[in-house]
Amino acid sequence: MFKDFFLFELKLRFKSVSTYIFFLLAALIPFFSIAARDFGPIGSGKVFLNSPFAVLLITTQVVAFGSILIAAIFGPAILRDFHGDTYQLIFTKPISKFGYLVGRWAGSMVTAIFVFSGIVFGIALGTLMPWADKLRIAPNDFGMYLRIYASIGIVQIFFLGSLFFCVAALTRNIVVVYLQGVALFAFYLIELVVVVVSNKLERAWASIIDPFGLIMVQSLTRYWTVVERNVVVPHWTGVFLYNRLVWLAAGALALLAAYALFPMSAEVLGSRRSTKKAEEAKADKDSVEHEPRRVRANLPQVAQIFGGATTWKQLLSMTRMRFFNIVREIPFWAITLIMLVFVLISGHFAGNNNGVEVWPVTFLMVSVVSGQSGLFLYIIGVLYAGEVIWRERDVRFEQIHDSLPLPDWTDFVSKFLALAMVETVLASVVLVCGVLSQAISGFFRFEMGHYAKEIYLVYLPQLLMVILLALFLQTVLGNKFLAHALVVGFFISIPTLYAWGIENRLYLYGEITPYTYSDMNGYGHFVKALFWVTAYWICVGGLLGVLAIAFARRGTEQSFGARWKQAGPRMRRLIAAAAAFLLLAGTCGAVFFYNTHVANQFRTAQQNRHRTADYEKLYKKYERLPQPKVTDVDVAVDIFPERRSFAGTGHYMLVNHTDKPINEVHITDSREAVQEVKFNRESKQTLADKDHFYSIYKLDKPLEPNETMKMDFRVGYASRGFKDGNERAEFAYNGTFFDRDYFPTIGYSQNVEIDDPVRRREEQLPPLEEMAPPGDPYYSNINLFTTDSEWVTFHAVVSTSPDQIAIAPGYLKREWTENGRRYFDYSMGDTRINDFFSFLSGRFSVKTDQWKNVKLEIYYQPGHEFNLDKMMDASKTGLDYYEKNFSKYQFDQFRVLEFPRYRQFAQSFPNTVPYSEDIGFIERMKKPDDIDLLYFVTAHELAHQWWGHQLIGSQTQGSNMMSESLAEYSALTVMSKKYGEDMLRKDLRYELDRYLRGRAGETRHEPPLVLVQREPYVWYQKGALVMFALADYIGEDKVNLALRKFLEKNRYATGPFPDTRGFVAALRAETPLELQYVITDMFESIVLYENRAVSATYVETPDKKYKVTLNASSQKKKSDGSGNETPMTIHDLIDVGVFSGTKEHLKRLNLHKEWITQETGTFEFVVDEKPTFAGIDPYNKLIDRDPADNLIEVEKP
Amino acid sequence: MLSIRNLAKTYAGGVRALRGVSLDIPPGMFGLIGPNGAGKSTLMKILATLLDPDTGTATLDGLDLIANKDATRRLLGYLPQEFGVYPKMSAVDMLNHLAVMKGITKGGERKEVVEGLLQQTNLWDVRKKALGGYSGGMKQRFGIAQALLANPKLIIVDEPTAGLDPAERNRFLNLLSSIGRNVVVILSTHIVADVRELCSRMAIISSGELILEGVPAQAIEAVKGRVWSKVVPTDSEREEIEKALPMISMHRVGGLNEVRVYSETSLGEGFLPVEADLEDVYFRQLSQHRPN
């Protein structure tokens, strides 16, 4: 019996074309992930596109998002019998329950396993494609593919399939099966928001209960290095094992439940139907029991009125009916409810910005609630577009409906309006969720205008465009599911087309130009582009709607030919509407085209890369050409914020500090802002390559060694109209911020070069040049930050609109108004600065304060007063600490300036720190131990006034750590003075996480700290970890002493510039002999620890004390730049300790360092309090791949 | 007067559903009978603007029904043979909605006509229940109610009494005939008795062709005295008669076969003359036009 059902099921499935279509669907994404550029989950770098890691990600993702296919395979296995009422035939026969259920299930299981084996097929096929990136493809390893397919794919199929099968068997309703899939997915999304988006470090539980394995795989592999990603196939251990076991068990339970609860009797199975029958009968009786109370011989005569007013009423009535038909459906409510839960949970985390708590201001909240509800609103829109188009035919009302005296367009328009109403109501609910979430978070500054704009003018139109497309496809195509499939294909195609370099939004249906709301600048300059592109696509959508009306089914002839014939005459009646939409779309498109292609040059990301690559190919040969250096900067800059433009004139003083005469001056103009260059001697422009940012001026009389000359220039940037994305973030109606890049750079600039290795290969560029090693004779004389300058004097006159304040580095000498503009004269006097300056303009409020003789100022957006006091406090505490420990602050002022959130960073210019509105101004400390990012960033940027503006390294490997690592260390120290060591430890744990993830994503090779080149995760995260580890070993005072001595020796160096050899020597000088290994390991190598607390027990001693025994193991490994590890013998001083309290709030009972010389060790402690935890390196001071297992609960033996 | 001239329709698959049908239908009840696949539904769908004929015209008091679909729909009441309902809508909401669709935009009138129809079709007590819970008969009554909205000038009802119990059928037919005095009502059915009872005129179509058109009583008159009946016990005897004589129909009566044949003269041999009815006319016409 089992065999019969099983074979029957298989025969049915393998005869069905859908099985093979599913197979191809499963193969599609894997195929493109390997064969197509920029498609798969693996970014740039050295990880193979078909490495175990890639296969793991692809398999997990395809099976997770292919859950719908699993539902489509397992659901009908049972439901098939109930669809056509064949159950009455089947269950009246003597069949075995086991045979029926298990046969059907097993047949589906085999089918699904076949379908998803398309993944392996797709990967293998992808590797064979001639155009695939062969350099990144390893030989096909089918054993590995299949092992991963078995442990991810087949387990998922078993679990999800059994669950779907169970639900189908018990409810016998396909909608419930799909809803259950949606619910599972929502569960995953919630987990994603709670755990991953808010950057929780503790992932074990989330990984285990992740029903799709996506979070599990992400957490499992997040620290994997290149080598591991290319080699390691996950074993069934740890979190991976538990996750698989949990879901295998869930699948088995679902199967058991299906078997136990499924009634094998036609009577019971039909009972739901017979309930319905009974209802009908009752209604019948109701209707017949009462004979007509008054029977009129004739029906009343009524007046039929047709015309405009009636058409309108018909439209309203039809729309109302369609609207209620949708909102009365259970799936609608199910999706809506899931959406509500999801949106409210996401709203709760709207104020969590990568683990940092901020105020849930409206721009954050509205983007969270609209973003997270989007998926659901699109599903509802597309799903019900299909329902509404086919409604009459599905319920078989079409003959009556189609012969109603309605104009052809009314019906279609009512369908659209009904969907639009549904979406408007839902969008309004989403809006209310946003407001509600703000209120729940205790934030009561509701900006209803902003909500309304975003939800009704930006979000809703996008939904409507997709609905029009779906309605059009549903109308034109003869099949609901085919149309749904095409809409899904449309959703996939858009990001794919972007990835393939089709970025022109005139061709990408429904795509609107990117925009960012900023409290400072509102929707600002994005409004125009948004308006025209939205109007354009709405009109195109309208045109699709008109076509759909022409092709709409009316009457019983369904063939496309017949509909084509009827479309002609209908189109003649619709010609006015079609013409109107065409004209409007044409006009909007023309305006858009003019702005994005005529007023501005349109370039795709790839075209821009070509230019950059050509710059490198053409001019890198001039890199070492002797060039003069800038010694003085004097500029006059006029900012026109309302035009998003500026114009500037000025001059550099140039000096020849080489030993040869200089004949040519080369200029790089990466921002295309330089308009004219003149020297105070005769010269001739011999090259003007505007396309590649380069020009050359030949001097009639060479600039002799040590001779100076003046270079005058004119610069400017004028925004014209709007662009198709890529608007320059530097210019805003309120919040202009641009820097030295808009002024001439002397000589070739490395900063322009492309650094992504895959992009470089695409452009046929050699691998990015390694930085020169410390001590390189040429680069030791070049400063790290500004290749073309020395310490400069600086003077700037800046003007702006009368309601704005303009700022440049320097002391304000004079402020005046002239010709309706506001002028500011800034000068550094004779204090020389790093040639690194910026200009800002905005409608600022200013907060001032004083520290000793230093004037402190914060220029901020009114409304962002949340943290100004803390910012001042960080500045003062920092100045205090840095002056005491390092050297005197070189300026009389320190200013922080807010700029729009188009860019998210803070940057330290001399005595001037532009600071994005996104990263601190709206910070909110919820719990006392939340990390105070604002305090930290302020102290960090202030520290750069020492590390970067006093100490500048040479342009060699490692130098950047002397700026960033030291700023990181200084700022964290200052923060720990205010908030205590607990916060410091918490912060360092995040630094460890980011460092480990950073090295996992390395695209070139990871350097040791003192040889760092372009690896932020090394110079920030590892730098901070290592500096604090050293301070922990030798003491903060010793580290500071080394820093002070090194700074004293090297500050304001003019070349040769210091490098990390001297820095390491300075540290070694303060480090005792037995701890010198710390510097070797941490600064000069990549060393990883694997410390683990194995067990811990305690006994109470007679004198009411507790004796704790800790067993721990320690290993130490050295890694190369790719992640190949070699074991090291351990002889290290490591913390061991015993604590009370909770894991989050440990209270130290005994913490001390022990020399560890063996891989395992036992440690004994006697403490006064009852211990809860014990561990080795419990605070994760050392770099440890699995930091969570260093601590263990202390148990009674 | 509805004039149908030379209506022909061939479906995409090659099925010739109508082969040039011409008919004049005066106001009053008009019965259209014919076997399944005769082209009745095609004819009705063409008149109900759901289908375009290949050739031919249909005019109602000068209005070209085929060219002026919108005008036709305004005066049409249509009950298709098979139809479903929006399961979540109630009868009263749905009728109200359909009344608006039919141009009854005055609220008072609409309420009156909707309530009237609900009572006439005996759906008053269940008017607020969802249509999805209706039984087949109730659904049919709802269909009738919607077809009668807005005093239609042309009523097309396709198999309206299928699924109704005898009492309901009576009530419906009464309702229909009370309305059908001044307007054209086309009643398509395979229940010949319905036509006999209600229709002032009738037509029989078969294989897309009109084979008889006239007044039912006259048609019966034409066969009067020429229908003979014989009760035979065995099938072989029946087959013998079938071979020898123009058989009209055969019924089983109490386990025996009653055979009716057409003959202008007496047949003797146990054949008895019987009162001719419309059914005899129908079967006689069909058997004459059976494509051989």
Side-chain angles (χ1 to χ4, degrees), chain A residues 293 296 304 314 392 396, chain B residues 74 84 86 101 120 124:
Chain A
R293 275 165 287 195
R296 256 180 273 177
Q304 276 177 294
Q314 287 175 329
E392 280 70 38
R396 306 210 323 273
Chain B
R74 291 176 185 186
Y86 302 96
M101 296 301 119
Q120 302 255 8
W124 178 256

Side-chain angles (χ1 to χ4, degrees), chain A residues 280 284 286-287 290 293-294 296 300 302-305 314 317 392 395-397 399 554-557, chain B residues 50-51 73-74 78 83-84 86 97 101-103 109 119-120 122 124-125 129 133 135 138 141 151:
Chain A
E280 280 175 9
D284 227 0
D286 283 355
S287 83
H290 311 278
R293 275 165 287 195
R294 48 194 171 113
R296 256 180 273 177
V302 291
Q304 276 177 294
I305 304 165
Q314 287 175 329
S317 180
E392 280 70 38
V395 302
R396 306 210 323 273
F397 193 68
Q399 295 197 31
R554 191 167 187 180
T556 49
E557 281 196 278
Chain B
L50 295 173
L51 202 60
R73 286 165 182 156
R74 291 176 185 186
Y78 178 46
F83 72 98
Y86 302 96
H97 165 70
M101 296 301 119
K102 295 209 171 180
E109 277 186 7
Q119 283 170 346
Q120 302 255 8
N122 207 16
W124 178 256
D125 292 319
K129 290 220 162 89
S135 71
M138 292 159 76
R141 282 185 269 149
N151 319 115

